[in-house]
Amino acid sequence: MIHLLYDGGMNDSSVSAVIISISIILMSGFLMTRVTKRLRLPNVTAYIVAGIIIGPFCLNLVPQPIIDGTEFLPDIALAFIAFSTGQFFRVDVLKKNGAKVVIITLFEALAASLLVFILTFFVLHLNLAFSIVLSALASATAPASTMMTIRQTGAKGDFVETLLQVVALDDIVGLLAYSVAISIAVHSATGEAFSLSRVFVPILTNALVLFLGAVFGVALSLLVKPKTRSSDNRLIISVALLFAFCGICTIFEVSPLLGCMSMGTMYINLTDDDKLFKQLSYFSPPFLLMFFVRSGMSFDLPALVNTTGSIGSSPLLLIGVLYFIIRIVGKYLGAFLGCLIAKKPKETRNYLGLALIPQAGVAIGLAALGARTLGGETGNALETIILASSVLYELIGPASAKLSLYLSKSYSTKLEDLVSVSEKTPDGKEKSQVELLIDRIQKIQEELPVHTTNEDEEAFTEAAENHNVAFWGEVQKQNMKEIIRRRKK
């Protein structure tokens, strides 16, 4: 029916085709979340599966020219993700945590990358460009499902604190590794001889990007002061600066992610204003949905069972399965060794790696950028493997995260473990089981938050209300001026 509509008066590049395609993308992503919600799976999984279903290898509802014409979506989506990540890097928090978290993060991220590189380059004998980029992507972790599980269980303690700090720093290691890897991959694809400049030039480039992002962060803090700028204008200015920064980086073929993260870090440390991040996180879901659905539409299903000669003789299905397993092994071993060196408690050391399995947002975005940079069969194979493995990681991620929280004793299903109350009355008598139960229930009720409104929605709603107040206030002011002017006549 859709293609009959296209053939009946619209071509694949017409305005009507683009608008209808966007509607299909948004609605399919939403409808698929109704299914995954019942299965208690993350929304990212729903979006990718929806993209596969409406993509060219299933229903083919969206024309290929429109899919190709939305290559800018990864840059925009990752700009929002990276900027939001910057809010977690407050100077006071980083000083408090010290070097232990950095050690754990380096070990868990680089161990996964090293094992994947050994697998792909030395065992499977795949080409250097593909191997080094895929191994760099192995370091990235998706914290969304882990964060969701922590909120659901109410887990607390050293394990949870360490986990949250590690996943926040993990993206920086992944972005740096990818930036170096993609530069080496591009040089190796051209056949140039290896030199140290291949390593140092990307590092210097990313240092400049970090500095430029910090400059944009300072500019943002000056332009969107909460007391002097309305909420809607703050949102407009921040989105404009993010888009401008992405555009500048795209011109020079540099990943904007580190710079956007630097921009968010600089802003939060200069202003201590987290409301802007909440407004952006409530504004960005349609962009993120379209990005993940588009990734699903770009997923080349037939390629999984074929051998891609440009990267090696092994079929992609075998590469994907081995990558899926080896990355999990690398994450677990790296986290274990890092915690051992950092002298973390036994519970944290033994089970932290289980909570670092999920991989989605940043890895998928970097894979899309890598596919665009490498091009051809190599780029297509890279994106196919990351998308396929990400769906699997998101399927087992929440379960493994919940298991790690339970085994590390970060939460309990027993009421007596949730809250502690005095077992004796003020006069020294032992309380009965009924009295202890009542005391525990009352204490839980006291600790429950009073407001249950979503903070992101609240921030966005407040911005809309402020806009309406300002708008109608200006209308009333103009009406009063008109009345005064008429009376003077």
Side-chain angles (χ1 to χ4, degrees), residues 84 87 151 235 274-285 452-464:
S84 297
Q87 68 179 305
R151 285 196 295 267
L235 190 62
D274 61 346
K275 187 166 287 188
L276 180 65
F277 293 94
K278 294 173 183 176
Q279 289 175 332
L280 282 172
S281 65
Y282 196 68
F283 169 78
S284 60
T452 57
T453 306
N454 182 283
E455 290 185 352
D456 299 342
E457 183 175 358
E458 193 177 61
F460 196 81
T461 304
E462 181 182 335

Side-chain angles (χ1 to χ4, degrees), residues 429-445:
K429 294 182 180 180
E430 293 286 339
K431 292 181 180 178
S432 66
Q433 292 298 320
V434 175
E435 290 175 324
L436 287 173
L437 177 61
I438 293 173
D439 287 349
R440 290 188 180 111
I441 292 175
Q442 288 177 342
K443 190 165 184 180
I444 290 175
Q445 289 176 334

Side-chain angles (χ1 to χ4, degrees), residues 118-400:
I118 292 172
L119 166 72
T120 54
F121 190 69
F122 293 104
V123 178
L124 299 178
H125 303 291
L126 306 180
N127 69 31
L128 177 62
F130 178 85
S131 299
I132 197 167
V133 175
L134 183 63
S135 61
L137 295 179
S139 64
T141 301
S145 57
T146 302
M147 296 280 288
M148 176 186 66
T149 307
I150 291 173
R151 285 196 295 267
Q152 288 175 345
T153 59
K156 300 175 183 178
D158 178 77
F159 181 88
V160 174
E161 291 178 2
T162 303
L163 175 60
L164 292 176
Q165 293 159 7
V166 168
V167 295
L169 289 173
D170 187 82
D171 284 342
I172 287 186
V173 178
L175 293 173
L176 284 171
Y178 168 81
S179 300
V180 174
I182 195 67
S183 299
I184 296 175
V186 170
H187 282 289
S188 67
T190 60
E192 297 178 10
F194 178 80
S195 63
L196 291 177
S197 63
R198 289 190 190 178
V199 178
F200 289 114
V201 169
I203 293 176
L204 179 61
T205 302
N206 281 285
L208 292 174
V209 171
L210 280 169
F211 175 75
L212 183 60
V215 172
F216 268 71
V218 173
L220 182 64
S221 66
L222 295 174
L223 290 172
V224 298
K225 292 180 179 179
K227 295 181 179 179
T228 60
R229 196 76 66 183
S230 63
S231 298
D232 54 331
N233 285 333
R234 278 158 45 86
L235 190 62
I236 292 170
I237 293 169
S238 57
V239 172
L241 287 179
L242 277 173
F243 280 26
F245 185 81
C246 287
I248 293 171
C249 291
T250 304
I251 292 173
F252 295 100
E253 298 183 351
V254 179
S255 172
L257 299 184
L258 282 176
C260 290
M261 191 180 295
S262 174
M263 185 176 170
T265 301
M266 184 62 69
Y267 178 79
I268 192 66
N269 282 287
L270 288 176
T271 64
D272 197 31
D273 170 35
D274 61 346
K275 187 166 287 188
L276 180 65
F277 293 94
K278 294 173 183 176
Q279 289 175 332
L280 282 172
S281 65
Y282 196 68
F283 169 78
S284 60
F287 295 100
L288 298 179
L289 183 153
M290 288 191 291
F291 159 62
F292 287 117
V293 172
R294 182 192 179 275
S295 297
M297 290 190 291
S298 303
F299 184 31
D300 191 353
L301 285 173
L304 278 176
V305 295
N306 297 331
T307 300
T308 305
S310 63
I311 64 171
S313 58
S314 301
L316 286 185
L317 183 60
L318 175 63
I319 299 171
V321 171
L322 292 176
Y323 168 81
F324 176 78
I325 297 171
I326 294 299
R327 179 182 171 273
I328 293 176
V329 174
K331 284 286 181 181
Y332 185 86
L333 289 178
F336 183 89
L337 291 174
C339 290
L340 190 64
I341 294 172
K343 298 181 179 179
K344 282 289 183 178
K346 180 181 177 181
E347 289 79 10
T348 303
R349 181 180 70 232
N350 290 346
Y351 306 115
L352 183 65
L354 291 176
L356 299 174
I357 290 175
Q359 183 180 52
V362 172
I364 294 173
L366 292 176
L369 296 179
R372 188 171 66 193
T373 303
L374 296 176
E377 290 185 345
T378 302
N380 185 52
L382 178 72
E383 191 169 18
T384 299
I385 287 177
I386 292 296
L387 283 171
S389 60
S390 293
V391 172
L392 294 177
Y393 284 132
E394 289 299 300
L395 289 174
I396 70 170
S400 62

